[in-house]
Amino acid sequence: TLKHEDLARCEERMGTNDRLAWSLKNWVPREIPHEWLDKWIFIEEQSNQLLSFQTTVVPGLLQTEDYARAVLRDEEKVSSRLERQQILDQENPPMLIVVMVQSIFTQQVGDRKTMYDQLQHLVKMAERENVVIHIIPPNAKSCARFTGPFVIANFNGGNEVAYVDDQLRGRVVEHPEDIAELRRAFELFRGDALSNQQSIDLIRETMEQWTPE
């Protein structure tokens, strides 16, 4: 559960002047699953840039409904994930920069149609001005540095908070030295990745192997 001191620390770091506390009190539905009652949902909402590094699945903000259902296997969690995606459609959406390993597109999640539709959705999203996708090919030198997925949220003024995921649960990281290490890793991985257009072309090519029979 989100603790008062955690929320206060986030407010101070982001300079949101109690807006997060107001949001928690006034517009967060109590039926939202527990995983989204932690502070990351507020951090994500208030950010102006999100840097996402993924090694296993398509990031939640870019998942289709069927893909999310295959990953989460819980309808409430799926609904919450789709609701989160609305931040990309708001008037001033955050800039989402995603770096993904290529193997994500060759590992089947759901059925063939789920994969085909997901890749098609990625192409569509990558054509937006506020969404950039970079794919790391399997022969990249930085592959040896992969440890797990993470997201860095940047706010006006340069403050940053990160979310690090693992097999059991995720955790919010706020220590400046830890953030700096994650930022260096992200830049290293992005430097080894294909450009946005090259990544879109690769996704289109990969779609062919998932064409529904």
Side-chain angles (χ1 to χ4, degrees):
T1 304
L2 184 65
K3 297 180 180 179
H4 176 75
E5 57 267 28
D6 292 332
L7 184 58
R9 190 160 55 249
C10 288
E11 295 269 19
E12 181 179 0
R13 176 171 288 275
M14 293 184 288
T16 49
N17 299 319
D18 296 325
R19 290 200 301 273
L20 301 188
W22 183 92
S23 297
L24 176 62
K25 179 180 178 181
N26 291 278
W27 59 257
V28 176
R30 296 307 176 193
E31 63 271 16
I32 288 180
H34 175 75
E35 66 172 308
W36 303 125
L37 287 179
D38 65 18
K39 53 190 173 181
W40 183 251
I41 188 174
F42 302 109
I43 292 170
E44 193 175 64
E45 174 71 22
Q46 295 294 323
S47 67
N48 69 307
Q49 184 184 67
L50 293 165
L51 308 177
S52 177
F53 171 65
Q54 299 297 325
T55 60
T56 54
V57 295
V58 171
L61 290 178
L62 297 180
Q63 291 179 5
T64 64
E65 183 174 349
D66 287 341
Y67 189 96
R69 184 172 291 112
V71 171
L72 299 173
R73 302 183 182 184
D74 183 295
E75 288 302 318
E76 285 189 89
K77 292 179 181 179
V78 170
S79 296
S80 296
R81 177 157 294 181
L82 297 177
E83 185 174 344
R84 282 175 56 219
Q85 295 176 359
Q86 294 177 12
I87 67 170
L88 297 178
D89 296 317
Q90 60 191 16
E91 185 175 351
N92 294 304
M95 185 73 184
L96 175 62
I97 302 176
V98 178
V99 175
M100 290 184 282
V101 299
Q102 188 174 340
S103 60
I104 288 176
F105 308 122
T106 58
Q107 298 171 155
Q108 183 167 329
V109 175
D111 57 20
R112 296 179 63 84
K113 185 176 187 304
T114 296
M115 289 298 299
Y116 184 89
D117 291 345
Q118 177 62 74
L119 297 185
Q120 187 175 52
H121 180 65
L122 285 176
V123 169
K124 180 180 178 181
M125 294 299 292
E127 292 173 346
R128 293 190 180 191
E129 292 185 354
N130 65 310
V131 177
V132 177
I133 294 177
H134 297 292
I135 298 176
I136 303 178
N139 61 345
K141 293 182 179 180
S142 62
C143 291
R145 300 285 301 275
F146 296 167
T147 54
F150 60 85
V151 184
I152 301 172
N154 182 278
F155 310 94
N156 291 324
N159 293 324
E160 293 184 327
V161 180
Y163 183 84
V164 178
D165 210 351
D166 61 30
Q167 189 66 28
L168 296 177
R169 62 184 59 84
R171 61 188 177 92
V172 173
V173 176
E174 300 174 82
H175 195 283
E177 292 183 2
D178 293 334
I179 298 295
E181 184 175 345
L182 289 173
R183 166 67 83 157
R184 285 193 296 269
F186 186 86
E187 295 302 336
L188 173 66
F189 301 152
R190 179 162 60 172
D192 260 358
L194 303 176
S195 69
N196 186 59
Q197 187 57 55
Q198 290 173 324
S199 297
I200 292 175
D201 293 341
L202 179 58
I203 293 172
R204 285 198 175 106
E205 292 176 12
T206 309
M207 282 175 59
E208 296 180 7
Q209 78 177 67
W210 295 113
T211 302
E213 297 177 346

